[in-house]
Amino acid sequence: MLHPLCTVAHVPKLRTVHRCTECGSASPRWSGRCSACGAWNTLVEEVDEVRAVAPPVSAADRPVSLAAVDLREWAPVSTGLSELDRVLGGGLVRGSVTLVGGEPGIGKSTLLLQALSSLAARGVRCLLVTAEESKQQVKLRADRLGVQGEGLWLVAETSLPAVMAAVDDVQPDVIVVDSIQTVFDPDLGSAPGSVAQVRECAHHLVRLAKERDLTTVLVGHVTKEGTLAGPRVLEHVVDTVLSFEGERHHALRLLRAVKHRFGPTGELGLFEMTDDGLRPVPDPSGLFLGDRRAGVPGSVVVSALEGHRPLLVEIQALVAPSGLAMPRRSAQGLDNGRVSLLIAVLDRRVGLSLAGADVFVSAVGGARVAEPAADLAVSLALASALTGTALPANVVACGEVGLGGEVRQVGQTARRLAEAGRLGFRTAVVPASAPDVPAGMEAIRVRSLAEAVARLDLAPGIAPRIEVNEHGPPVAINTK
Ligand code: TYD
Ligand code: MG
């Protein structure tokens, strides 16, 4: 017989499951590969709780006519950081939940402390739950940032009930939880930081945000593969997912919206990490091109597009004789596979062989240019480095290179070239089909990479190679 004090209904039933740390799906048995998302070695054993009582269905929301929905309560509130506002489409929406992900040390805590202090200074009640750092550490950071901290409340707690109590106590308008992985619910059997904990705590906080119209920001760590640690469900339950990126050794930080329920996701925010915090960078191209040395072989500027924002980035290449059986190929800020492909295209379609040479290519200044629009610039930088012929400093290149050596048009060429023109570039190497270039800029229209190399006189003295031109008779290139 049961002891009278034993209230069976409240004892959670415990069972162990194997849960995927990538997608959060559970399976009863361990296996090397997750059957739901196909990821390898991601299943971890954890205690799963089956709740005896299903959470009550909220009766607060009644059906209304679409015409009667008031958009005014959705007006974003500026965070005081122009670049953060740009990514969020104006600021934080009341009652929304935002997840900010990024590698450790990238500056998430700094970014949010700056935003909170600016909000607090404008009379918004803010609560910072610092679950990773002590209050003293936060205070030290605040001093470094020159933040006064009036109206900004701090609580150094990791347990979810204590966080809830702090919310009851402070009655904030905005709450930041730094980080969601360190908050845990003691009612759950699984260990803090486990997938079940992260998911449950996030669910609780999302529910709290919706019930109280509490603007919530959760900080999340990313795994070494660059995805947000914890299950994907975390991304599904929040309204906005921001990703804070950058090279640890560079001051530049990029903020993007991966998911945004209140606006477009294409915007890019740029910050510079300085000794006194993150400073918005409204004119990034200047930052990337600031220390450029003109007249050096292997340097070509591309007008890349980050979201809706054109960025002029210098691509540098260095080609050196190799003593290795397997010469080195190194790409920084660019896609390795793409660079290998372009090396092969240069060899087969242009006649410029890089066999037996170590090749280093990089996007300068900590920028990452993953889009194919950089193909032409990367190829021209490689050709220029190989032959030791520098391009004039005011040339910008924009185009995708196909396996046949053809140069193809990329999206939004006009916008890219307008930005290049603004920064003083006077010659644009573009595909033949590209739209008109801005006034004051000269276009070098090319059908193929070989033609671009020839027109820019990058490979004087190499044997002409016959290119088959689909639209006309064969053209001899590499001859002037
Ligand atoms: P932090 O915000 O703690 O990163 P995260 O929360 O993403 O782990 O910032 C960490 C780094 O930023 C740290 O190496 C110190 C540096 N930093 C500055 O360079 N300037 C500053 O003003 C501050 C506050 C930090
Ligand atoms: Mg931090």
Side-chain angles (χ1 to χ4, degrees):
M1 210 184 100
L2 286 172
H3 189 275
L5 287 180
C6 181
T7 49
V8 178
H10 293 113
V11 177
K13 291 180 221 148
L14 298 182
R15 60 173 179 149
T16 60
V17 291
H18 291 90
R19 198 174 287 282
C20 172
T21 51
E22 283 289 318
C23 72
S25 68
S27 65
R29 226 170 271 119
W30 188 86
S31 79
R33 189 171 193 208
C34 171
S35 56
C37 70
W40 288 96
N41 281 334
T42 53
L43 292 199
V44 287
E45 184 176 14
E46 64 180 35
V47 180
D48 200 27
E49 186 190 346
V50 182
R51 284 191 189 275
V53 189
V57 178
S58 162
D61 204 21
R62 295 257 166 259
V64 290
S65 146
L66 177 60
V69 175
D70 189 0
L71 271 183
R72 269 171 306 179
E73 10 181 297
W74 267 33
V77 179
S78 164
T79 60
L81 293 170
S82 55
E83 294 292 299
L84 177 57
D85 286 352
R86 176 201 287 269
V87 176
L88 288 171
L92 288 165
V93 172
R94 205 180 139 98
S96 67
V97 184
T98 305
L99 179 65
V100 180
E103 283 177 22
I106 208 74
K108 302 179 293 296
S109 305
T110 308
L111 177 78
L112 293 170
L113 186 58
Q114 283 182 242
L116 282 190
S117 71
S118 159
L119 283 164
R122 281 174 284 140
V124 179
R125 274 180 90 79
C126 298
L127 173 64
L128 172 60
V129 178
T130 159
E132 273 179 10
E133 294 172 317
S134 66
K135 287 181 187 140
Q136 286 72 16
Q137 282 170 309
V138 178
K139 175 73 179 156
L140 276 178
R141 183 182 288 120
D143 285 348
R144 190 170 173 185
L145 300 172
V147 163
Q148 290 302 316
E150 288 300 324
L152 169 49
W153 299 86
L154 266 190
V155 56
E157 270 298 344
T158 50
S159 100
L160 190 65
V163 173
M164 298 291 188
V167 171
D168 278 338
D169 195 9
V170 177
Q171 296 285 332
D173 302 308
V174 178
I175 175 179
V176 169
V177 179
D178 188 359
S179 69
I180 184 69
Q181 274 100 350
T182 38
V183 175
F184 75 100
D185 183 352
D187 288 346
L188 283 180
S190 35
S194 65
V195 179
Q197 280 284 5
V198 172
R199 196 190 44 193
E200 275 302 312
C201 291
H203 272 293
H204 262 101
L205 291 164
V206 170
R207 213 174 304 147
L208 185 78
K210 302 299 166 192
E211 280 168 12
R212 302 200 184 193
D213 249 356
L214 175 59
T215 309
T216 304
V217 182
L218 309 175
V219 174
H221 295 293
V222 294
T223 59
K224 53 185 183 307
E225 288 84 29
T227 51
L228 275 163
R232 291 249 164 78
V233 277
L234 206 58
E235 296 185 14
H236 296 316
V237 293
V238 299
D239 298 307
T240 302
V241 180
L242 301 182
S243 161
F244 203 32
E245 300 158 16
E247 293 256 341
R248 192 83 70 84
H249 306 292
H250 281 106
L252 190 75
R253 300 285 181 269
L254 296 91
L255 185 71
R256 316 168 201 271
V258 180
K259 163 185 174 178
H260 194 27
R261 285 191 181 146
F262 307 104
T265 52
E267 283 298 346
L268 172 80
L270 284 158
F271 294 92
E272 192 181 0
M273 181 60 101
T274 67
D275 282 343
D276 46 6
L278 289 159
R279 198 175 298 151
V281 182
D283 188 8
S285 297
L287 188 82
F288 286 129
L289 299 178
D291 297 323
R292 191 171 174 222
R293 242 181 87 206
V296 178
S299 159
V300 180
V301 172
V302 59
S303 189
L305 208 63
E306 278 287 357
H308 300 296
R309 207 165 173 182
L311 280 188
L312 279 116
V313 181
E314 180 187 357
I315 305 288
Q316 284 190 338
L318 185 67
V319 176
S322 177
L324 302 168
M326 286 264 286
R328 275 182 208 221
R329 303 278 185 252
S330 155
Q332 254 182 34
L334 296 161
D335 184 53
N336 247 316
R338 200 85 206 155
V339 171
S340 304
L341 183 151
L342 295 172
I343 291 175
V345 172
L346 274 171
D347 189 325
R348 304 300 300 167
R349 309 287 179 200
V350 188
L352 291 175
S353 171
L354 290 158
D358 286 335
V359 177
F360 305 90
V361 202
S362 74
V364 178
R368 241 204 96 70
V369 189
E371 53 165 356
D375 286 357
L376 187 55
V378 172
S379 314
L380 291 176
L382 285 168
S384 156
L386 176 69
T387 61
T389 324
L391 252 71
N394 63 359
V395 173
V396 62
C398 234
E400 181 180 348
V401 175
L403 291 182
E406 76 280 13
V407 178
R408 296 160 176 270
Q409 210 194 136
V410 291
Q412 316 220 35
T413 303
R415 186 190 282 233
R416 295 171 196 263
L417 296 183
E419 172 73 357
R422 188 182 73 79
L423 287 159
F425 286 84
R426 290 289 158 259
T427 308
V429 189
V430 286
S433 57
D436 289 345
V437 297
M441 194 182 257
E442 180 209 349
I444 299 184
R445 293 178 183 276
V446 292
R447 287 193 191 285
S448 66
L449 182 55
E451 193 182 343
V453 169
R455 296 272 298 274
L456 290 163
D457 209 5
L458 281 183
I462 75 156
R465 175 173 279 243
I466 301 301
E467 273 285 291
V468 179
N469 185 350
E470 282 172 32
H471 310 287
V475 225
I477 58 105
N478 289 347
T479 48
K480 280 177 278 168

